[in-house]
Amino acid sequence: MTPADVVFLFLGAVTLGSAVLVVTTRQLVHAALWLVVTFGALAASYLLLTAEFVAWVQVLIYVGAVVVLLLFGIMLTRAPIGRSEGLDSANRPVAIAVAAATAALLVTVVVAGFREAYVELGDPPAGTSGQMGASIFRTWVLPFEVLSLLLLAALIGAIVLSRREIQPPGESSDERPTERPTGPGRG
Amino acid sequence: MHIVYPAVVAALLFSVGVYGVLARRNAILVLMSVELMLNAVNLNLVAFDVWLGDALRGGQVLTLFVIVIAAAEVGLGLAIVLLVFRNRQTVQIDALRDLADRDAEPAERPEQVSTEIS
């Protein structure tokens, strides 16, 4: 076992432990905070695998943006701050069985397939910013541009979904459309 | 480093995500579990890209694309969850059964509706 193996096993244990806490904790806010630990440990794993650029993108987007979005969602759905009951549904035993079967199948296949696979890390590094930038903007530039269009579509979709009903001034905003009186000037 | 370590960690992380999606009732917790599954796939992509030493770095670029798509997905998903909360005052996904395929039993219908509301 090389030192890299030991460090990676430690990071993997942190990742898995905090992931299990995300799906088992009884407090919604704690789930989001354990998610930060999971994503941070994964970013450290990427650094260990010398995928430097992916690691920092992970920190920026997941820890910086996605978790904040999820915390906003928790806040806006008026979730209780303390412990809340009923976060697990009734099919929890089935879920445990399915997850255990998935884990057994995947681990068996992966271990059988890649038991001998070995890589010497860091010589040369696999993903510095320069290498990744050259790769994205030379080889993968078309999917990159298509992805920017997809982000724009998702942005517009999220705005359309979450905006309030636009109404003329003088009407209260929490009236439902079906209850609204049909006045003149509205087709 | 042995590639089997990140592969096994990714497989277990994916299973944890599967458990979360199936067992949680709160829609936001389900979204978090989906993020866990996507991250498991990302770890696999990075590890195997490093192992293969791809000159085009396809695995890592695909990881970046998956991260972007996951961000778009969580934004849209949260917008939908907020819309559901605004209309129904709940985000418990097993209480949202309007599209469920059930046999029509006229005698039981009023009872079921009343239990769902309470």
Side-chain angles (χ1 to χ4, degrees):
Chain A
M1 263 195 161
T2 59
D5 282 358
V6 177
V7 175
F8 188 86
L9 285 181
F10 170 72
L11 287 173
V14 171
T15 307
L16 287 176
S18 51
V20 167
L21 280 170
V22 168
V23 296
T24 54
T25 180
R26 297 227 154 271
Q27 306 196 25
L28 268 171
V29 182
H30 285 192
L33 297 180
W34 282 117
L35 209 59
V36 174
V37 179
T38 310
F39 291 157
L42 274 172
S45 306
Y46 296 156
L47 273 183
L48 191 66
L49 288 165
T50 66
E52 180 193 345
F53 187 69
V54 177
W56 296 124
V57 168
Q58 166 98 1
V59 170
L60 276 177
I61 295 189
Y62 271 114
V63 182
V66 170
V67 172
V68 172
L69 261 180
L70 288 169
L71 280 171
F72 263 104
I74 290 173
M75 188 184 76
L76 290 175
T77 53
R78 309 224 173 84
I81 293 295
R83 287 169 168 271
S84 46
E85 297 303 316
L87 289 180
D88 288 328
S89 69
N91 50 14
R92 193 157 173 252
V94 185
I96 291 176
V98 171
T102 311
L105 179 70
L106 286 177
V107 169
T108 312
V109 170
V110 157
V111 169
F114 301 101
R115 197 185 299 126
E116 307 295 326
Y118 190 84
V119 64
E120 204 62 53
L121 287 179
D123 195 28
T128 62
S129 306
Q131 291 169 328
M132 292 297 294
S135 189
I136 287 177
F137 289 105
R138 281 187 191 139
T139 314
W140 306 105
V141 66
L142 187 62
F144 179 80
E145 298 293 344
V146 171
L147 209 61
S148 68
L149 266 184
L150 180 124
L151 260 185
L152 180 68
L155 180 73
I156 294 173
I159 290 175
V160 168
L161 279 180
S162 58
R163 81 191 162 131
R164 298 251 172 210
E165 197 77 24
I166 296 177
Q167 291 173 343
E171 291 185 37
S172 67
S173 61
D174 51 3
E175 249 180 336
R176 292 293 158 86
T178 51
E179 299 163 355
R180 207 183 293 158
T182 51
R186 192 182 292 123
Chain B
M1 194 169 84
H2 287 97
I3 285 304
V4 75
Y5 294 149
V8 167
V9 168
L12 293 176
L13 192 61
F14 188 85
S15 313
V16 171
V18 167
Y19 166 78
V21 168
L22 292 179
R24 290 299 214 177
R25 289 176 79 199
N26 192 300
I28 294 176
L29 287 172
V30 172
L31 278 177
M32 288 184 195
S33 307
V34 172
E35 295 299 313
L36 286 181
M37 292 161 77
L38 287 167
N39 270 283
V41 175
N42 284 348
L43 182 56
N44 252 336
L45 283 172
V46 171
F48 282 100
D49 179 83
V50 171
W51 178 50
L52 289 172
D54 183 12
L56 299 179
R57 304 209 158 66
Q60 291 181 60
V61 175
L62 190 56
T63 307
L64 295 180
F65 291 172
V66 170
I67 288 175
V68 171
I69 290 175
E73 170 253 327
V74 80
L76 273 180
L78 275 176
I80 293 172
V81 168
L82 288 181
L83 205 60
V84 168
F85 179 77
R86 202 184 296 157
N87 286 324
R88 305 288 179 94
Q89 274 73 45
T90 183
V91 288
Q92 311 282 318
I93 48 175
D94 53 359
L96 306 171
R97 307 192 69 99
D98 285 356
L99 295 178
D101 184 17
R102 285 173 297 188
D103 292 335
E105 292 174 39
E108 286 188 15
R109 264 290 159 79
E111 274 186 331
Q112 279 182 339
V113 169
S114 65
T115 52
E116 278 169 11
I117 288 172
S118 63

